[in-house]
Amino acid sequence: YRDLGLMFPCGQALNVAVHARRIGVESAYVGVVGDDQAGRHVLASIHAEGVDASHVRVVSGPNAYADVGLTDGNREFLGGDPGVSSFELSDQDLRFLESVDIVHSSESSYLEGQLERLASVAPLSFDFSIRRDDAYLDPILPHVTIAAFSLADLGDNDALAWIAQVHRAGPRLVLATRGPSDALLSDGRRVWRQPPEPTNVVDTLGAGDAFIAHVLVGFLRDEPFEASLANAAHAAATTCSSYGAFGHGIEDVQLEPGTTDERPIGSPAGS
């Protein structure tokens, strides 16, 4: 956050893992962080949240980052760099993932070519965000059990038509978050609606991921979708009321290698 002089740990898959853990289920993050200040802080935040980091790799090089701007609380990505985040899943990673109930990934995880392997060890949830191009979706959707999209630009009829189209490609559940409009969740036979919960919007970063986490945990717990969606809307509203996807903000300064003075600012949201 250049205007604030702060940086926060975040990332679609990581945010979901953190929010799932806050709900009370065991969660893990599998991925790569850099050995710079940002990477060290992301890893420290994962540990602080109680998320299993046993399959996080620390690689020499810069951590992935995105420059975030805020306009009336709505986050905008102004640039960034993937850093060292791209990686190949190892056989050890896949054996570990065989023990989980569901795997969640996203269009920013750089794992598109490995999703078939992921889906072979556990049900796959995938956040497509705003990606709707056939060339991207067609190879992925047959491997996905739960598909999530951001459809804030679509009205009801167009959003429902899109959800029906996605179901035909294979996913069992399709979730559409739509900003200030009702979120939609479909099992192919019925559609559930969830209006957003009013809140003082400070920063929308990570709100969709908080929403997804509650839907996934509700699915695994066999909760009624009405309850899961209401909890998801509350979590998204809470996330919007503070900066960062799940707190843990620090000053955006360059520290000497090995320095641990990361000067936390405030407490993690929802802690």
Side-chain angles (χ1 to χ4, degrees), residues 9-259:
C10 78
Q12 286 158 288
L14 175 57
N15 299 342
V16 170
V18 167
H19 283 285
R21 184 71 189 96
R22 288 182 176 182
I23 300 169
V25 301
E26 294 183 27
S27 69
Y29 178 68
V30 178
V32 177
V33 298
D35 63 352
D36 56 359
Q37 182 210 10
R40 294 195 305 273
H41 184 61
V42 170
L43 186 56
S45 301
I46 294 172
H47 286 301
E49 290 288 341
V51 174
D52 184 341
S54 61
H55 287 259
V56 175
R57 307 175 199 175
V58 179
V59 174
S60 178
N63 200 72
Y65 75 90
D67 286 322
V68 177
L70 295 172
T71 302
D72 296 327
N74 290 307
R75 66 103 178 99
E76 299 176 351
F77 293 120
L78 307 177
D81 192 281
V84 299
S85 57
S86 181
F87 73 106
E88 289 287 328
L89 290 160
S90 67
D91 291 340
Q92 185 180 16
D93 292 331
L94 291 168
R95 284 194 297 271
F96 169 70
L97 292 172
E98 287 177 348
S99 68
V100 307
D101 295 308
I102 197 161
V103 173
H104 179 74
S105 189
S106 76
E107 48 81 35
S108 65
S109 295
Y110 305 104
L111 292 174
E112 285 85 352
Q114 304 177 69
L115 294 178
E116 184 174 1
R117 298 180 72 196
L118 277 176
S120 72
V121 299
L124 177 63
S125 164
F126 196 89
D127 180 7
F128 291 89
S129 187
I130 61 173
R131 295 294 300 267
R132 294 175 221 160
D133 48 304
D134 291 341
Y136 185 79
L137 270 61
D138 288 351
I140 297 176
L141 283 173
H143 305 300
V144 174
T145 299
I146 302 176
F149 292 87
S150 175
L151 303 182
D153 60 318
L154 298 186
D156 271 16
N157 290 339
D158 288 339
L160 291 170
W162 176 256
I163 287 171
Q165 179 180 331
V166 172
H167 271 303
R168 288 193 289 272
R172 174 179 171 185
L173 291 178
V174 181
L175 171 66
T177 56
R178 301 167 65 216
S181 299
D182 289 357
L184 304 172
L185 178 65
S186 169
D187 66 356
R189 299 179 298 275
R190 178 182 172 185
V191 175
W192 289 262
R193 292 176 173 271
Q194 177 60 50
E197 182 175 300
T199 189
N200 176 34
V201 177
V202 173
D203 177 11
T204 59
L205 183 73
D209 301 318
F211 199 106
I212 290 170
H214 279 72
V215 170
L216 293 182
V217 171
F219 172 75
L220 294 175
R221 289 175 169 170
D222 200 26
E223 293 177 352
F225 287 138
E226 294 88 347
S228 297
L229 288 168
N231 292 334
H234 179 71
T238 300
T239 301
C240 287
S241 66
S242 60
Y243 292 114
F246 56 90
H248 299 283
I250 62 169
E251 292 182 31
D252 187 7
V253 297
Q254 295 300 314
L255 302 179
E256 292 298 322
T259 300

